[in-house]
Every structure is written in structure tokens, then in C-alpha cells.
Amino acid sequence: MKRRTLHNSSYISSISQRLALGIIYLFIGSGCMLGPDYVPPPVTIEDSWVYQNDKRLDILEAVNPFWWQSAFSDPVLDELVAQAIENNLELRSAALRALQAQQLLAIAIGDQYPQIQQIEGLVDRSKYVRSGITGNLQSEYYLNFNLTWELDMWGQLRRLVNSAAADFEASMAEYDGLLISIIAQVAQTYINIRTVKRRIEVARENIRIQREGLRIAEVKFQAGEVSALDAEQAQTLLSNTEATVPGLEIILQQLKNTLAILLGMPPHSLNDILSVSPTVPHVPAITAIGMPQDLLRQRPDIRQAERLLAAQGELIGVARAELYPNFSIGGLIGAIDIRGGQLNGSSDAWDIFLEFDWNIFNYGRLRNNVRLQDATFQQLVSDYQQVVLQAQVDVENAIVAYLKSQEQQVFYETAAQASRESVDLSFTQYIGGEIEFNTVITTLVSNLNQQDILVVAQGAVATSLVQVYLSLGGGWQINDGLMPLELLPEETIEDMLRRTHYWDKLLD
């Protein structure tokens, strides 16, 4: 236990003072840091992308942090992304987790410095009466405080600071990763909404064509040229096509609801924002993707994994420090002032001490803890290397999906154009009696499918491009350099200030 007895300064010789101060300086100056020092582990990065020679890709230019603006040039999408960054609740929660990590770092830094353990004070005024005789009025004032300082002999406290700093950086990387994920989800959901709107329009265009087919079949039936079977077949096809519209409207509303969650607002609030034309966004002719080596600094999940690894690496040194004695210095400083009565005057007193504790009988447990921290570190090495490997696979998958979906779109455009022409030809030949109505039905069904497939393919190209940017880790740079409190909306900060004013200094 720490000594708390006060000694009058007159009893402390100058020799004792010099000896105590010499011991203090000796221990402060001789501190070291037990290792190992963290070094990022090697990872395998490919030299080039598989499809980097494709003329639609630019490997020399870095990814634009505002890629959704340059790729789609859509003011509505820009507004949706801005609202998501401001109001998304998952993103706000991640910023608050980063803020918590920042405060844990501040606490770890503060633990390196002297701590005032206790402040004691007394104010007393008294008068005694004995056998009818009143004594003098006596006043007593007493104040002292107890200060201790844990000496960082083996670098344990510095390691804890380094670990907390790495944890804080990992939490910021987690926020960045969620940020680009939210932006990508908003972009993909918005593209899907426009795609479904276009599919509804295509369905209605086919309904119009099929109604014309039904009208022609009814006219020929009334003229006695065909049986009622043709009209019944035309009605069946028309009704089935009409039934697809409510199904698509269900998907459309569900996509709107998903987008509302991403924007942190009720679904009905999107009605005015999403009154856009039913067209699928076009993609740029050339897309900048950079080189594979850029992933190490671009992908937030890679940075997060590496920072978690660094934080764990510092804990090995912390565990090793527990094998050695822990030193602390401390002291008491006090003052007593008594007026009246038998004792008059004041007295100053202080006490200084050096103490240590050593868990020498727990070496088995402490060594096991060192092994535990090292095994955890090695596991995180594998996790980090896996994240880097997976990141490269994600990009390759996204690139091939983007490029090949464009090639698919070209074939579907040819098929859709041929399908539209076959409908016109079948109507002409049916009216002329050259073909049966079954052939018309076949062309109508094929046209509906081909036009819908083309729209889906167009949407797939746009969403695949978003996936490319997501896999490359683009977008988090828009908030680079901001602290966690700066990432929170004003109303959240005001709520926190109403609970406690201690956030004021961070806001200065």
C-alpha cells in the first residue's frame, strides 16, 4: 500500500532529499520499451490487373474520390449521396465509435502523467465549556493531497498509448469503409429504381402493342377470317403482361424504402426527390482504376485490418512488461493552521516515497498471457493478409463483371431491335393471312422478354461500375482529415452538449 503518513519537513535532511530525487531521476531516465516493435507484415500484391489492357480502363489515373459525380453526372444522385452522408444512422454510429476510441486514446495518454489520488481538507471552528468556564474559540484548517506517478520503466504505458492510437486509426478506417459502402448502396439502389421504372415503362409499351394485337384478332374474328381462339390467346397474353406491372411496382416501392433507410428518413419523403425520368444511367467510355498497389492505401478494410494488427502488436510489449517490477513514486503535501487554544500557528508537511510491486509468483500466468497476445497477433497477420488477397479478388471480379456486362448489353440491344422488327412483320403477315396467330403470340412474348432483358442488362452495367468503385475503395477521401466530432451532424453535437459541456474544448 502507498504510505500516507505526514512528516514534518524539519525531520527530512538535505541528504535524504538528494537521495530521493536521485532515485527518481534514475528511474525516469532509464526507462526502456520491451518489444517487439511493430513492423507491417509483407503481403502479396499482383503487379497488374487481368483486364488492364482493355481500352475501357485507365490504369494510369487514380480513382476520383467523387466518382459518382464524374461517372453519372446526375444531380439527383449527388443530392441523395449528400443526404446519406449527413443522415445515415449507421454512419453516425460509426463516427460515435470513432469518437469513443479517440477518448480512450486520450485516457491512455493521460495515464502516463502524475495522478492526484486524493485531496483532503478540513475547516473546523470550536469552543469548549467545562464547569461553567468558557474556553477560547479555536479554528483549525487542514489541506493535503496525495500524488502518485507510475514510472514507465518498461514502456508499458507508451505501448498502451500506441495501441490505443492504432485502435483509433482502425475505428476511423471502419468509418471510411462504411462511408464508401453507404455511397455505393445509395448509387446502386438509385440505379435499380431507375431500372425498375424503365422496366415498368417497357411493360406498358408492350401492353400497348399487345392490345393492338388483340384488336386485330377481334377484327379478323368478326370478319369471319379466324376463330375466336386467336382473340382468346391475345387476351391471355395481354392479361399476363398487365399482371407484371403490379409486381414491378412492389419492387419499386421496396427499393424506395431501402433508399429511405440509407438516407435516414421516412419512405414518403422520397416522393419528390425520385420524380425522375424512367431511364437507366449511362456509364463513361473510360473508367480510371489505378494499379493494384493503390489498394493498400485506398481500401479502408485493408487499413483497418493493418491498424488492428498494429494495436495488437503493442499489447505483446505490454504483456512482457508485466513480467517485471512496476515502480511508482508519490508523495503527500499538506498544511495545518490552528488559531486559538493551546496551539497557535501553522505547519507545513510533506512526504515522498518510491514503491514497487512485482508479480513474481504469477510468472506462469504472465508468460501464458505473452503467448496469448502473440498468438492473437499472428492470427491478425493471417486476417490482414486475407483481407489484402480478398480485396484484389473483389476488384478483379468487379472489373470482369463490368466489362462483360457491357458486351452482353451489345448483344441484347441487337436482339431487342430484331424482336421489335419481328413484331411489326408478324402483324403485317397476320393481317395478310400469311401466318397463324400462334406466330404473332410468339413474337409478342419474345419482344416483351427481350426488351425487359435489355433494360436489366443496362442496369447491370451501371451497378457493376459502382461495384468497381466500391472494390477499389474510392470515396472515403472526401472526409480525410476530419476528426470524429466533425463527422457528426449539428443536432447530434447539440444533444451531447446539452448533457455535458465537456465537449466544448474539442469543438474549439
Side-chain angles (χ1 to χ4, degrees):
M1 293 182 62
K2 294 180 175 60
R3 297 170 54 197
R4 299 188 54 195
T5 305
L6 286 174
H7 295 281
N8 192 282
S9 60
S10 60
Y11 296 106
I12 305 296
S13 67
S14 61
I15 297 177
S16 300
Q17 294 179 36
R18 293 193 191 97
L19 179 61
L21 292 175
I23 294 174
I24 292 172
Y25 289 132
L26 173 65
F27 278 102
I28 293 176
S30 62
C32 63
M33 291 184 69
L34 295 176
D37 293 330
Y38 172 73
V39 177
V43 290
T44 302
I45 297 289
E46 59 183 338
D47 297 327
S48 59
W49 305 116
V50 174
Y51 288 93
Q52 71 173 32
N53 293 325
D54 192 290
K55 62 182 180 180
R56 292 166 288 181
L57 302 177
D58 184 355
I59 63 172
L60 300 179
E61 185 177 350
V63 177
N64 184 356
F66 295 88
W67 55 262
W68 59 96
Q69 297 178 5
S70 59
F72 301 108
S73 301
D74 189 331
V76 176
L77 177 58
D78 297 344
E79 180 183 354
L80 294 174
V81 170
Q83 290 192 23
I85 295 173
E86 180 70 18
N87 300 319
N88 183 270
L89 297 178
E90 287 187 77
L91 203 57
R92 190 175 305 175
S93 180
L96 290 167
R97 288 195 297 272
L99 184 59
Q100 295 166 31
Q102 184 185 37
Q103 303 316 303
L104 289 174
L105 171 58
I107 292 172
I109 293 173
D111 287 340
Q112 298 179 102
Y113 299 99
Q115 309 291 322
I116 295 179
Q117 301 292 335
Q118 186 177 23
I119 298 179
E120 295 179 345
L122 173 67
V123 178
D124 180 52
R125 292 176 62 85
S126 60
K127 179 184 289 187
Y128 299 94
V129 178
R130 179 182 295 176
S131 302
I133 300 174
T134 302
N136 295 331
L137 181 64
Q138 179 174 300
S139 300
E140 180 179 355
Y141 305 93
Y142 168 80
L143 176 67
N144 76 354
F145 65 90
N146 181 352
L147 182 144
T148 62
W149 188 2
E150 181 180 347
L151 302 178
D152 195 16
M153 290 292 300
W154 319 114
Q156 184 178 34
L157 297 179
R158 282 168 285 170
R159 292 287 186 192
L160 287 172
V161 170
N162 293 342
S163 181
D167 277 330
F168 171 56
E169 292 166 349
S171 69
M172 291 300 295
E174 178 193 10
Y175 174 89
D176 292 341
L178 185 59
L179 173 64
I180 63 173
S181 175
I182 295 298
I183 293 174
Q185 289 180 62
V186 169
Q188 288 181 326
T189 304
Y190 174 69
I191 291 169
N192 287 333
I193 287 173
R194 291 183 56 173
T195 301
V196 172
K197 278 190 160 188
R198 176 58 185 155
R199 291 179 67 191
I200 292 174
E201 187 178 67
V202 165
R204 287 172 176 161
E205 289 174 356
N206 277 269
I207 288 172
R208 180 185 57 80
I209 294 173
Q210 291 172 14
R211 281 177 179 163
E212 177 64 15
L214 174 60
R215 186 193 67 80
I216 294 172
E218 288 176 339
V219 169
K220 289 180 71 67
F221 169 67
Q222 292 170 0
E225 297 179 13
V226 297
S227 69
L229 179 61
D230 290 0
E232 294 299 331
Q233 287 180 315
Q235 183 62 60
T236 300
L237 176 61
L238 174 61
S239 297
N240 283 331
T241 304
E242 289 174 330
T244 64
V245 174
L248 291 172
E249 290 174 338
I250 292 173
I251 297 174
L252 178 61
Q253 187 58 51
Q254 290 173 342
L255 288 171
K256 289 181 178 180
N257 295 342
T258 299
L259 185 59
I261 293 176
L262 292 171
L263 270 58
M265 60 175 58
H268 68 270
S269 304
L270 294 176
N271 291 335
D272 294 335
I273 299 176
L274 294 180
S275 57
V276 294
S277 61
T279 57
V280 181
H282 295 289
V283 298
I286 299 176
T287 301
I289 62 173
M291 293 295 291
Q293 294 81 0
D294 298 333
L295 290 180
L296 292 180
R297 60 178 178 81
Q298 284 182 177
R299 289 267 302 217
D301 57 340
I302 293 179
R303 290 188 287 111
Q304 180 184 3
E306 189 276 330
R307 288 291 82 198
L308 290 175
L309 179 61
Q312 179 60 35
E314 299 294 335
L315 295 183
I316 300 174
V318 173
R320 287 191 60 191
E322 293 178 349
L323 293 167
Y324 297 87
N326 184 37
F327 294 89
S328 297
I329 60 173
L332 290 167
I333 300 176
I336 301 175
D337 190 2
I338 302 177
R339 300 297 179 198
Q342 299 296 322
L343 298 174
N344 290 282
S346 61
S347 174
D348 297 329
W350 61 274
D351 176 30
I352 187 170
F353 61 84
L354 170 68
E355 69 174 10
F356 76 93
D357 60 82
W358 194 355
N359 293 323
I360 194 169
F361 296 109
N362 292 323
Y363 257 42
R365 179 182 64 82
L366 298 179
R367 286 196 182 100
N368 287 334
N369 187 42
V370 174
R371 298 186 187 104
L372 170 63
Q373 302 305 326
D374 188 60
T376 304
F377 176 83
Q378 195 60 46
Q379 175 215 324
L380 292 176
V381 169
S382 297
D383 293 345
Y384 170 58
Q385 293 170 336
Q386 175 66 22
V387 169
V388 174
L389 182 62
Q390 185 62 51
Q392 296 173 82
V393 172
D394 290 345
V395 177
E396 294 288 10
N397 288 342
I399 290 175
V400 68
Y402 174 60
L403 297 178
K404 296 305 178 182
S405 63
Q406 287 182 302
E407 295 175 13
Q408 280 186 321
Q409 179 182 332
V410 173
F411 292 121
Y412 286 137
E413 286 173 347
T414 302
Q417 179 63 33
S419 177
R420 282 191 292 268
E421 293 175 358
S422 68
V423 169
D424 294 338
L425 288 174
S426 67
F427 278 176
T428 301
Q429 292 177 358
Y430 178 67
I431 293 173
E434 299 176 29
I435 59 174
E436 299 292 332
F437 194 70
N438 284 339
T439 303
V440 177
I441 290 293
T442 300
T443 59
L444 290 174
V445 171
S446 175
N447 185 63
L448 173 62
N449 292 335
Q450 290 299 330
Q451 303 301 325
D452 187 69
I453 289 174
L454 174 59
V455 174
V456 172
Q458 292 170 339
V461 170
T463 56
S464 295
L465 178 58
V466 174
Q467 195 65 34
V468 170
Y469 287 119
L470 175 62
S471 65
L472 291 169
W476 61 268
Q477 298 91 337
I478 63 176
N479 286 334
D480 192 21
L482 297 180
M483 288 292 100
L485 208 58
E486 299 175 287
L487 300 173
L488 296 173
E490 191 65 32
E491 60 270 18
T492 300
I493 297 175
E494 291 175 357
D495 286 343
M496 298 168 69
L497 286 172
R498 278 193 289 268
R499 286 192 298 271
T500 173
H501 63 276
Y502 292 108
W503 296 108
D504 290 341
K505 288 186 177 181
L506 292 181
L507 293 170
D508 293 338

